[in-house]
Amino acid sequence: MGTALRRFWIPVLLSEEVPVPDCEPIAIRILGEDLVAFKDTNGKVGLIDAYCAHRHAHLYWTRNEENGLRCTYHGWKYDTEGNCVDMPNEPAESNFKDKIKITAYPTREWGGVVWAYMGPVEHMPPELPQFEWARVPEEHRIATKRLQESNWAQAVEGGIDSSHVSFLHSSLNQAQTGMITGVPAQAVAPGNASNPSFAQQGRTMALDKSPRFWIGHRDFGFLAAARRNAGEDKYYWRITPYLAPWYTIIPGGGQEGSSLSGHAWVPVDDEHVWTFTFTWNPTRPLTPEEHATHMQGFGVHTEVDKNLPRWDLKISNSYKPIRNMDNNYMVDYEERRKRTFTGIKGISEQDMSIQESMWPIVPRWREHLGTTDKAIIEFRKLVMGMARDLLEGVEPEFPHTPDAYRVRSAAITISRDVPWEEGSAEVVKAKV
Amino acid sequence: MGTALRRFWIPVLLSEEVPVPDCEPIAIRILGEDLVAFKDTNGKVGLIDAYCAHRHAHLYWTRNEENGLRCTYHGWKYDTEGNCVDMPNEPAESNFKDKIKITAYPTREWGGVVWAYMGPVEHMPPELPQFEWARVPEEHRIATKRLQESNWAQAVEGGIDSSHVSFLHSSLNQAQTGMITGVPAQAVAPGNASNPSFAQQGRTMALDKSPRFWIGHRDFGFLAAARRNAGEDKYYWRITPYLAPWYTIIPGGGQEGSSLSGHAWVPVDDEHVWTFTFTWNPTRPLTPEEHATHMQGFGVHTEVDKNLPRWDLKISNSYKPIRNMDNNYMVDYEERRKRTFTGIKGISEQDMSIQESMWPIVPRWREHLGTTDKAIIEFRKLVMGMARDLLEGVEPEFPHTPDAYRVRSAAITISRDVPWEEGSAEVVKAKV
Amino acid sequence: MGTALRRFWIPVLLSEEVPVPDCEPIAIRILGEDLVAFKDTNGKVGLIDAYCAHRHAHLYWTRNEENGLRCTYHGWKYDTEGNCVDMPNEPAESNFKDKIKITAYPTREWGGVVWAYMGPVEHMPPELPQFEWARVPEEHRIATKRLQESNWAQAVEGGIDSSHVSFLHSSLNQAQTGMITGVPAQAVAPGNASNPSFAQQGRTMALDKSPRFWIGHRDFGFLAAARRNAGEDKYYWRITPYLAPWYTIIPGGGQEGSSLSGHAWVPVDDEHVWTFTFTWNPTRPLTPEEHATHMQGFGVHTEVDKNLPRWDLKISNSYKPIRNMDNNYMVDYEERRKRTFTGIKGISEQDMSIQESMWPIVPRWREHLGTTDKAIIEFRKLVMGMARDLLEGVEPEFPHTPDAYRVRSAAITISRDVPWEEGSAEVVKAKV
């Protein structure tokens, strides 16, 4: 599976982690590999082996200076290509440094994220996937991340599971008020809570908790469409795009001026995952109030301690959630009795409380999947198929269809006689 | 051994952990098995598999409502029998829920404790063991617990080891004053410290530190009788009942109005044990002062942090001792030099300092047992024999002799020519 | 390798850890073996098996009284020879105690350190290695230790690696000012920073970062001589003695009144090492200011928390560094940008940041050794050769040449036409 995932461009860092040329380097683990990231003097981001080739000192303890990382042990210096460009402890006439090259991965910086390609160079996709959240101007976007204590796949499975929203993220009197805690960004944006259409969606989800699912295969992965009854002649459709290998977009948006949110789940190793979260508005900058609300952990973004190291994972800046397993996610039992389904603050923490509890890797032989797990089954087929195909020499096509990724989610109420693929066709197109 | 232990009713929780109907659920590990406990709307205690059958979400993150635990992920709901009684994310016409049943164990609530039977139903003893501490009215009893970092067997072995009391729990000038730290409850009950008979016992134990041991086999396990010289013509006998598989009663009581104390050591897993401690007075309610003294950690009960989770063990409420290995049990070296044998506050913490230091599972091949270890040898014979018998199809009888458990300890001084079994016969009978 | 190391007298404790007769015992791990150390009533230091032979209780929880450690469980008492000298829970007529003897190692107290011999008695060297730091009067010496999270060998390799000083311990404008952070004690002794000769050394090291290395084999191990250009007709030589199996002396001293510093790296187990650090002045007592400067972590000594237990390693007093991996060694990035190479306070912490980052055991198959790694290669040859020889029955000679250890380091500037061994011959002799 790792080999298949390495055919894709991978979001490895937030841009904020390497904010300026010659900033501090970052120790990071991606797909079980220990790396350091840095931005060189020219503004190019390097992503190279975490260890100096000389004596295996970790390059987090380096100086980022004059277009390279200089190991603090003996001054060996590496550029963003992994070349050893200086070896000051060797005699001037030595050509030893020319023989030293460490692993380095091509990177690009785009959409608030540093991307890397960690696969064989002959299969490198020329273009990044054209996510709308990456294409909008910077001030239209919030990009955050957190370290989650679970395998990546069960996290993706949470993202494409439209049926859990009626439970995990719901409030207790939702059927009456429509007030929900489980929909993205716009739910908590000032002014939107009273959006009548939005409150209606909340009521609809509370009243019909057993949606029926359809899958529509696409060049980027698939659309998972969940249908709920909405009055006598209409259906409420929540359409979640799954974009291979680990992206999802939360159903929502659609109204003029409304925002969308989505995730990327990038494996740290088998038992940890980087959860990236994006909120973007296609038509306008996000307001300071919207920023503040998200940063305070009210929406799908997570309150984190960015700087705490996790050297057991060789991570210098762990983005560890403030509300985490060790403090029972600061669950408020009074809140659970009176107002919300879980008593846990934050949609992302609600998700973590479940996904981290399922064991680091869910023992899938203990599951009993039902009719609402269609998207999960489909996801497993797709990624396992991709891995199997590759074993037989069949390359995945997803990494090479960047424009297919110009897609949105949908949350629409349409007449019962309109097929969902027809009724949502325009809505699910990215506009930017 | 686990199979043999599952033939008994097991104390799994304090009643205080599931205090009222629809209270918060508890995540707990017993005999290596991860479970959740809850009290349903009707007041019945459920003890079921910790994981939802659907997607393996931990049921600690549930809502306890209307006679069942409802998983916060997709709302599947389980009753105390483990039946899935609601599956709201499936279509109304689905009968999927009828096919879902998770492990559930029969429970009873009695004596300040929730009991469970975790063995094959055809061998379930109809009646609980009739401990005096369970039979007395609630206000006559204190029941507490702690999480201990050791195998259960070496903890039981501490409980039946009457000879360590002359050392681990002693004070330095005990031979003169009789002041001891190592006998139960009544030692620290206001007014009792000056009990002349009690001080005499302390002096006796200080003066004769090499008791001789006898074992008397009984239907509940055995009595371990430790004999010390007490003047020229008398013996001081401390008689400790070991009640299969993991109960002990501390020698003491006997005077009008005095209390007794005992323990149950229930395996969390191979390297952790729930230490339950009971203090009871057969004839009168315990006073607020006695309660306070125990709760402050002066006697055999332990000061704990009830709510700290230990998710590495899948325990939501760990009852972790305040004075523990990581802080060297807050040993006071000055106190050790001047007053008590260990310098550690609390009889239970003194025991932990030893039992947790012996490695999580004592390497018994390194032991050198002596004449005072008779009870320990007997205990090992009994439990190993029980496990071996079961392998050959011979069921243990202990679980089916509940009235045999109506027994007390003794601490008596009698004439040298009276055999201990005769001299203690009345004393060791429970009176309630 | 462990067998070979056990042919040497080993520094196991600081004398301050067993300061007075009948002081508190210490739980310690040396070469993977769990031990307790204590000073008996007569002032003799015992180093015996950590566990009581009776029931495997850890003897840290003992009373150190009347020439022996008395186990708090049942009062068994051991003398410094490991004899069981009292067994109060056995009958007076029993001779059981005469059959009980636990592991005990011969110890000596000398030079601020408790030494132990942990090998076969027939190979015990009669005399301790005659280090100058041990031979000077107590008030001429500072001896400290820390627990380091790495294998011992990569720590020794840091100590004999004279080339890293031009980098890891350097300051940014060193070529101009000569101000360096990476040389020992005297660098930070008040008054010495402006020592012109000393500043000159700093400039020299900054200007020539690729020293050439020579090895001179000696009866104690070897001298590693690093040569740097120093003006047109001179060389600056830094000569580091490596003394088998794990001692080094930092180049320095030599001027009237100046101090020297050195290390011993004693394995706790394969992934932890006790780093002992010594600073001594051959001719005068160290001043209170020098003491204070070292204790505050400005030089080669480390600020530690002496009393924190590490029961995962069976260590009661861990001497854990205050600036450690879990807090990124309190690196100050501003300091790194403006003044010093690493931004980390303390030479020892700078070393730790590298040595602990290389993995607990450096994966040496990933290294690329260069011309400045000669001493490291020589060290590996020597210790591996010693282990291999022993397998063939050839005993190491180093432990039996105690006077060979009367050696110093050197940091001298001499004419280019004088061979280093000749030019340093007098300097590297210990004078005490």
Side-chain angles (χ1 to χ4, degrees), chain A residues 55, chain C residues 150-158 265 273 364 379 383:
Chain A
R55 300 284 318 284
Chain C
S150 79
N151 182 268
W152 68 284
Q154 69 212 55
V156 173
E157 290 172 5
W265 281 284
V273 58
R364 293 196 168 79
F379 159 72
V383 292

Side-chain angles (χ1 to χ4, degrees), chain C residues 77-364:
Chain C
K77 183 172 167 181
Y78 300 93
D79 67 10
T80 57
E81 314 288 314
N83 300 306
C84 185
V85 294
D86 193 19
M87 200 179 270
N89 69 330
E90 285 291 308
E93 67 277 15
S94 160
N95 66 345
F96 189 29
K97 80 170 158 48
D98 303 335
K99 299 177 185 162
I100 301 295
K101 189 172 166 70
I102 61 176
T103 300
Y105 294 117
T107 66
R108 297 196 191 157
E109 196 175 355
W110 186 56
V113 163
V114 174
W115 304 75
Y117 178 73
M118 296 173 68
V121 82
E122 65 272 21
H123 293 295
M124 186 170 90
E127 211 180 321
L128 296 176
Q130 294 298 304
F131 289 102
E132 191 175 46
W133 53 258
R135 293 172 62 92
V136 297
E138 192 182 337
E139 57 278 16
H140 290 219
R141 176 180 56 236
I142 298 172
T144 63
K145 74 170 191 180
R146 70 169 184 265
L147 179 65
Q148 182 171 322
E149 309 268 333
S150 79
N151 182 268
W152 68 284
Q154 69 212 55
V156 173
E157 290 172 5
I160 55 180
D161 175 358
S162 194
S163 90
H164 82 277
V165 180
S166 297
F167 303 98
L168 189 64
H169 306 309
S170 68
S171 67
L172 295 186
N173 55 353
Q174 186 169 317
Q176 286 71 52
T177 65
M179 210 278 277
I180 58 184
T181 75
V183 287
Q186 68 275 30
V188 291
N192 275 353
S194 57
N195 181 325
S197 147
F198 185 73
Q200 181 54 46
Q201 292 176 25
R203 275 194 290 276
T204 303
M205 284 193 281
L207 290 169
D208 184 350
K209 294 179 174 178
S210 57
R212 289 195 59 188
F213 275 80
W214 279 261
I215 301 294
H217 291 274
R218 294 293 182 275
D219 285 352
F220 56 78
F222 58 79
L223 294 174
R227 188 188 82 184
R228 286 174 172 86
N229 297 323
E232 293 216 340
D233 54 353
K234 288 185 174 166
Y235 287 132
Y236 171 60
W237 292 90
R238 290 176 65 79
I239 299 172
T240 306
Y242 159 76
L243 307 105
W246 45 49
Y247 305 91
T248 60
I249 304 176
I250 304 170
Q255 285 91 37
E256 183 58 32
S258 68
S259 300
L260 293 122
S261 290
H263 289 102
W265 281 284
V266 178
V268 175
D269 54 23
D270 283 350
E271 303 200 342
H272 299 84
V273 58
W274 291 117
T275 302
F276 289 87
T277 306
F278 307 98
T279 294
W280 71 100
N281 195 298
T283 56
R284 62 170 176 81
L286 295 171
T287 66
E289 290 75 19
E290 286 169 327
H291 264 280
T293 305
H294 280 299
M295 291 303 110
Q296 290 161 22
F298 286 100
V300 288
H301 298 267
T302 315
E303 265 190 296
V304 296
D305 181 343
K306 295 182 181 182
N307 295 319
L308 198 69
R310 277 289 300 271
W311 287 114
D312 57 324
L313 302 175
K314 309 297 178 208
I315 291 171
S316 61
N317 299 67
S318 70
Y319 283 71
K320 181 187 168 102
I322 302 296
R323 294 182 287 285
N324 58 53
M325 183 180 272
D326 291 334
N327 57 28
N328 281 344
Y329 308 95
M330 300 188 188
V331 59
D332 178 337
Y333 295 119
E334 183 69 12
E335 182 80 6
R336 179 158 80 178
R337 274 186 293 272
K338 302 284 179 57
R339 278 174 294 271
T340 65
F341 205 68
T342 61
I344 296 171
K345 178 187 167 190
I347 292 168
S348 59
E349 288 83 354
Q350 292 162 8
D351 281 328
M352 275 191 289
S353 76
I354 291 298
Q355 292 168 14
E356 296 183 337
S357 85
M358 298 157 86
W359 295 1
I361 301 178
V362 175
R364 293 196 168 79

Side-chain angles (χ1 to χ4, degrees), chain B residues 190-249:
Chain B
N192 276 352
S194 58
N195 181 325
S197 147
F198 185 74
Q200 181 55 46
Q201 292 177 24
R203 275 193 291 273
T204 302
M205 284 193 282
L207 291 169
D208 183 351
K209 294 180 174 177
S210 57
R212 290 194 60 187
F213 275 82
W214 281 262
I215 301 295
H217 292 273
R218 295 291 182 276
D219 286 349
F220 56 78
F222 58 78
L223 294 174
R227 187 188 83 184
R228 286 175 171 87
N229 297 322
E232 294 215 339
D233 53 355
K234 288 185 174 166
Y235 287 131
Y236 171 59
W237 292 91
R238 291 177 65 80
I239 299 173
T240 307
Y242 160 75
L243 307 104
W246 45 50
Y247 304 91
T248 60
I249 304 176

Side-chain angles (χ1 to χ4, degrees), chain B residues 357-359 366, chain C residues 34 49-53 56-59 102 314:
Chain B
S357 85
M358 297 157 86
W359 294 0
R366 298 199 65 192
Chain C
D34 295 335
D49 188 1
Y51 299 98
C52 180
H56 211 254
H58 198 293
L59 292 173
I102 61 176
K314 309 297 178 208

